[in-house]
């Protein structure tokens, strides 16, 4: 556990004070308050730090304390925002989200890879079976009116943007020096796992899938190797195939790179599955044997933070 905590630690010095939302216990009214050291009263120049799933505050005098509003999730979001737009100013409008606990995380937490989004032409792979092609057509014509891989890549992005700031293990595993590339390839692995399990389950509507099966696939070495060779089928002017760049990366990456992307993807699914089971237990009276529906992808939609117009278009530009 000690090694895990050290790897997951984030430390962020903040100029000025930090304001968080709180609720009056009598009136239930919402108000802003400054995070304040209980020993010396300091409110400025604090250091925000994460350890595993909780947050820690340190004042200039070295006093450390915890505050219910300073959760690890919020500190990691702030850390990601600072890396993107710079240190917040003295009024700290950017720090008012520090006490966020539920719902989705901003999509900018996982930056999109800047590269051409051209898709592989659907007729470039003559090895696609008739059964797989029909499954692709069923997905494009049915609910949600998108080919399976397009659905899978939506869910891959939703799962990663949720897990990255919340799960300390996933946060520690993603390399900051090439965040956009590694995060992108983790989403590709997640998308391929969801896609392939959807086909195995003969389900064109991927949101009905449980999180358990793709996780089992990514935890098995033999299935991982098979997954790397999957080339999804698509349709002309509709999409549903890999990016050209991703096809090439999958063909040329080293075994160590592939294993790393699969490990992170498995961590994302594991964190999401744990959260889904906690939610399901709360809804079903804490039963140990939870209904399978509680772990389905559709139950994660309220925790996805992708703009509706970007749900199914972020990954590729279909071939005309």
């Amino acid at each position: 556990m000690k090694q895990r905590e050290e790897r997951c630690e984030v430390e962020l010095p903040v100029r000025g004070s930090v304001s968080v939302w709180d609720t009056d216990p009598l009136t239930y009214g919402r108000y802003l308050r400054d995070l304040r050291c209980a020993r010396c009263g300091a409110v400025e120049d604090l250091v925000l730090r994460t350890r595993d799933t909780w947050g820690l505050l340190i004042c200039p005098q070295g006093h450390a304390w915890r505050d219910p509003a300073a959760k690890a999730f919020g500190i990691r979001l702030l850390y990601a925002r600072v890396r993107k737009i710079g240190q917040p100013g003295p009024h700290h409008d950017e720090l008012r989200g520090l006490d966020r606990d539920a719902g989705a995380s901003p999509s900018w937490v996982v930056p999109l890879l800047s590269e051409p989004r051209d898709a592989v032409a659907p007729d470039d792979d003559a090895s696609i079976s008739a059964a797989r092609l029909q499954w692709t057509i069923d997905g494009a014509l049915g609910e949600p009116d998108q080919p399976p891989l397009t659905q899978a890549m939506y869910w891959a992005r939703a799962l990663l943007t949720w897990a990255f700031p919340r799960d300390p293990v996933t946060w520690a595993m993603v390399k900051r020096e090439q965040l956009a590339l590694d995060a992108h390839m983790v989403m590709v692995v997640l998308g391929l796992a969801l896609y392939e399990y959807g086909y195995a389950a003969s389900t064109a509507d991927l949101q009905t899938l449980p999180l358990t099966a793709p996780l089992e696939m990514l935890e098995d070495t033999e299935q991982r190797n098979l997954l790397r060779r999957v080339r999804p089928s698509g349709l002309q002017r509709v999409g549903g195939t890999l990016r050209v760049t991703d096809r090439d990366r999958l063909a040329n990456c080293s075994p160590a790179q592939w294993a790393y992307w699969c490990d992170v993807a498995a961590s994302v699914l594991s964190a999401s599955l744990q959260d889904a089971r906690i939610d399901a237990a709360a809804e079903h009276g804490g039963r140990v044997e939870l209904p399978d529906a509680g772990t389905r992808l559709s139950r994660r939609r309220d925790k996805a933070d992708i703009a509706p117009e970007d749900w199914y278009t972020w990954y590729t530009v279909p071939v005309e």
Side-chain angles (χ1 to χ4, degrees), residues 219-267:
E219 290 177 336
D220 182 270
T221 302
E222 183 177 351
Q223 292 192 66
R224 280 186 179 189
N225 294 334
L226 292 174
L227 191 65
R228 181 177 174 177
R229 297 195 289 271
V230 170
R231 297 296 180 265
S233 58
L235 301 170
Q236 204 79 16
R237 294 187 296 277
V238 175
T241 58
L242 290 169
R243 285 184 187 179
V244 174
T245 51
D246 288 333
R247 179 194 61 185
D248 296 341
R249 273 190 289 264
L250 290 171
N252 299 318
C253 69
S254 68
Q257 284 177 308
W258 174 248
Y260 165 67
W261 293 330
C262 288
D263 286 342
V264 180
S267 177

Side-chain angles (χ1 to χ4, degrees), residues 127-150:
S127 64
I128 298 296
S129 67
R132 191 177 287 267
L133 182 59
Q134 183 59 53
W135 175 66
T136 302
I137 294 173
D138 292 343
L141 296 179
E143 181 66 30
D145 193 28
Q146 296 291 339
L149 183 70
T150 304

Side-chain angles (χ1 to χ4, degrees), residues 54-75:
W54 48 274
L56 188 69
L57 300 107
I58 304 172
C59 75
Q61 300 299 317
H63 305 141
W65 77 101
R66 295 175 60 185
D67 189 285
K71 296 179 173 63
F73 164 51
I75 294 175

Side-chain angles (χ1 to χ4, degrees), residues 4 8 52-53 76 162-173 267-268 270-271 274:
R4 183 172 186 264
C8 299
D52 204 40
T53 58
R76 291 189 188 104
W162 180 88
F164 184 45
R166 288 173 176 80
D167 178 47
V169 176
T170 302
W171 178 272
M173 291 176 73
S267 177
V268 169
S270 179
Q274 181 182 39

Side-chain angles (χ1 to χ4, degrees), residues 102-123:
S105 56
S107 56
W108 46 256
V109 171
V110 180
L112 295 181
L113 184 62
S114 179
E115 68 172 7
R117 298 190 299 124
D118 299 321
V120 175
D123 56 358

